[in-house]
Amino acid sequence: ARRGLARSYTPRMPRRIAFLTLEEVADFVIDDELAVAELRHRGWDAAEVPWSGPTDWSTYDIVLIRSTWDYASRSDEFLTTLRAIEASGAHLENPVRVVEWNIDKCYLRALEARGVPVVPSVWGSGGTAEVFAHLFTTLQDREIVIKPNISGGARDTFRLHAPLSDVMLQRLVDTFDGRDWFAQPFLRSVITEGEYSLFYFDGRYSHAIQKVPKPGDFRVQEEHGGDIVAVKATPELQRVAEQVLAAIAPVPFQARIDLIRLDDGQLALMEAELIEPSLYLRMDPGAPARFADAIEASSVFGRVTPH
């Protein structure tokens, strides 16, 4: 090149992205490495990072809340970490304001008020033996499920049959002392049909699974022996799931919509998981690439510039 025309060239550094996870994996099945590998193949500096460890979050362009499945017992610490991530300048998804809204299951009441079909529920805080015994009358069912507002993995979730023994009533009083809870009728379809989970990346449908509990149980989570199979979402499933998403603002980057069939045959929302949804990427060969596509195509992430 002629003198004065030569230019120095600084290679573009790969964008850094952290997948928040837990420190102790234990028996959890985590398949985030499928998306991490896909992003690395595309030139990203991607890694799984424990949310509770000391980390300089400012060194990351993007932080995704992924398999932080131990946060429920440390929710205040978890939220403090998320606020620190946002304050560092890293782009957090889903953002703190979405997490704060979604962390308490009372968000179901808000969605129901916006026209979303939700499993009928009764809400309470603490309570006496008489309060818990009366739930069967309130829900007009002889079999119910009760769980904490803030929980995960079916922890402290009870399937109850009327009438309750004094021992069980005392256990409920002790378990929910000082804690918010909600109760729902036990839906027989969880045994016969199971639950459906539909996954959305940046508001777009990716894939779906069906979760059925093992014989003699009612919990569909795989750590409790639930059977997980990939399914093609029917138009009915997608219609209800997208009705749920349409009632949530802002549109979450990652969402798992759990649906179940009511006794009248209609689908209803069990949970809209917007914090750390298990994405079951291994259940669909194209899911990791779609997740990476969503990251690269997102209007939000597209504005992120490397540090």
Side-chain angles (χ1 to χ4, degrees), residues 34-307:
L34 298 174
V36 168
E38 177 67 26
L39 286 165
R40 287 175 177 169
H41 177 71
R42 300 180 184 204
W44 288 71
D45 180 356
E48 296 177 73
V49 181
W51 70 268
S52 52
T55 303
D56 182 359
W57 301 111
S58 68
T59 64
Y60 291 95
D61 301 298
I62 300 168
V63 177
L64 292 177
I65 307 171
R66 290 299 315 117
S67 51
T68 57
W69 299 329
D70 57 347
Y71 84 84
S73 60
R74 306 157 65 186
S75 57
D76 289 342
E77 179 186 351
F78 181 64
L79 288 171
T80 297
T81 296
L82 298 187
R83 295 185 187 109
I85 293 172
E86 285 196 338
S88 76
H91 185 89
L92 178 69
E93 285 290 351
N94 290 331
V96 171
R97 65 185 184 279
V98 171
V99 174
E100 290 175 332
W101 180 78
N102 194 233
I103 202 169
D104 190 311
K105 295 299 189 298
C106 66
Y107 73 80
L108 292 168
R109 303 174 78 174
L111 291 179
E112 185 175 32
R114 298 170 193 170
V116 171
V118 173
V119 176
S121 304
V122 171
W123 304 84
S125 182
T128 63
E130 290 74 20
V131 167
F132 294 112
H134 191 66
L135 288 174
F136 297 96
T137 301
T138 304
L139 289 167
Q140 299 182 342
D141 206 310
R142 292 186 60 80
E143 190 172 10
I144 66 174
V145 174
I146 184 169
K147 61 188 81 172
N149 280 22
I150 300 178
S151 182
R155 287 185 293 272
D156 291 335
T157 296
F158 297 88
R159 177 184 176 184
L160 305 172
H161 303 259
L164 297 178
S165 68
D166 291 341
V167 172
M168 176 54 74
L169 286 169
Q170 187 58 50
R171 186 178 176 188
L172 293 173
V173 170
D174 294 340
T175 299
F176 294 106
D177 181 33
R179 301 173 72 187
D180 295 332
W181 52 264
F182 65 112
Q184 300 172 324
F186 178 76
L187 298 174
R188 282 71 185 173
S189 64
V190 75
I191 303 297
T192 60
E193 186 177 4
E195 296 179 18
Y196 297 96
S197 292
L198 282 72
F199 303 91
Y200 288 81
F201 305 151
D202 202 22
R204 295 179 179 173
Y205 170 71
S206 172
H207 59 292
I209 60 172
Q210 184 180 22
K211 303 176 287 186
V212 181
K214 70 180 181 182
D217 206 333
F218 69 100
R219 297 166 298 182
V220 300
Q221 294 85 0
E222 55 195 329
E223 59 264 33
H224 298 298
D227 186 29
I228 315 295
V229 296
V231 295
K232 182 178 180 180
T234 64
E236 178 192 23
L237 283 167
Q238 291 194 55
R239 175 182 59 78
V240 177
E242 286 161 17
Q243 182 182 357
V244 175
L245 284 178
I248 299 171
V251 176
F253 175 76
Q254 54 183 353
R256 189 190 77 218
I257 308 300
D258 294 339
L259 304 176
I260 193 168
R261 202 170 299 279
L262 301 177
D263 290 342
D264 64 4
Q266 300 300 308
L267 288 171
L269 177 66
M270 279 286 288
E271 182 174 2
E273 180 51 75
L274 311 179
I275 301 176
E276 25 67 86
S278 179
L279 298 177
Y280 292 91
L281 299 174
R282 65 190 181 277
M283 303 301 293
D284 187 306
R290 285 193 292 273
F291 193 60
D293 286 345
I295 290 173
E296 295 187 327
S298 169
S299 59
V300 173
F301 294 159
R303 291 195 296 269
V304 175
T305 55
H307 289 294

Side-chain angles (χ1 to χ4, degrees), residues 20-26 28 30 49-52 67-70:
L20 291 190
T21 187
L22 34 66
E23 289 186 12
E24 299 295 333
V25 174
F28 289 115
I30 302 174
V49 181
W51 70 268
S52 52
S67 51
T68 57
W69 299 329
D70 57 347

